[in-house]
Amino acid sequence: MKRLLLALLLLSSPVVAEEYTIYTRERPPFSISGIIDSDKTFYYFTNAAEPKCDIYAGESGKWCFMKTNVKAEIISKDVIKVANSYYCSEDHIQKVNKNNKGYGRCTKDGWMR
């Protein structure tokens, strides 16, 4: 009976928003970041005044990302290539930097401080 109720609850619940991995190219002086969707389309982060956001993602869905016509290439679980630049996942950056605020840049081999 519990399984039936759980199945009914899951089927009647609204669809949970897709989770996105945030990738960063470099920082500082700027934090150049983006996400990719399931089709590998790249979306860049913006904090411009009143932007038209295509996707809200990040902590509690509060960060605004704008769609581009650029496709990303997945290099590894933690690295993507967008045009001529590499972007590293925030999880990877935190593992590499530990307490270093994540300063550095992404390369094909990962985050470099």
Side-chain angles (χ1 to χ4, degrees):
M1 184 66 165
K2 286 183 184 179
R3 287 183 187 185
L4 177 61
L5 289 174
L6 181 60
L8 289 173
L9 178 65
L10 289 174
L11 291 174
S12 64
S13 297
V15 176
V16 176
E18 185 175 345
E19 286 213 17
Y20 296 94
T21 298
I22 297 176
Y23 295 91
T24 299
R25 186 174 84 187
E26 62 185 274
R27 61 176 173 244
F30 308 104
S31 182
I32 301 171
S33 302
I35 60 176
I36 58 173
D37 65 15
S38 58
D39 293 327
K40 300 180 188 163
T41 300
F42 184 72
Y43 295 71
Y44 69 92
F45 170 77
T46 182
N47 60 358
E50 298 185 32
K52 178 195 160 285
C53 295
D54 292 304
I55 292 179
Y56 285 97
E59 295 175 19
S60 304
K62 67 180 180 182
W63 295 334
C64 175
F65 292 87
M66 306 279 289
K67 185 176 184 174
T68 69
N69 292 324
V70 179
K71 295 288 187 180
E73 176 186 348
I74 298 173
I75 304 300
S76 71
K77 177 180 134 263
D78 293 314
V79 179
I80 62 171
K81 184 176 183 182
V82 179
N84 293 322
S85 299
Y86 294 95
Y87 288 72
C88 292
S89 72
E90 284 296 320
D91 287 342
H92 171 70
I93 294 169
Q94 289 176 11
K95 287 176 192 171
V96 169
N97 283 315
K98 307 229 181 337
N99 297 322
N100 188 2
K101 296 186 182 182
Y103 293 166
R105 65 183 175 84
C106 189
T107 71
K108 67 179 179 168
D109 299 317
W111 191 255
M112 301 297 198
R113 295 185 257 182

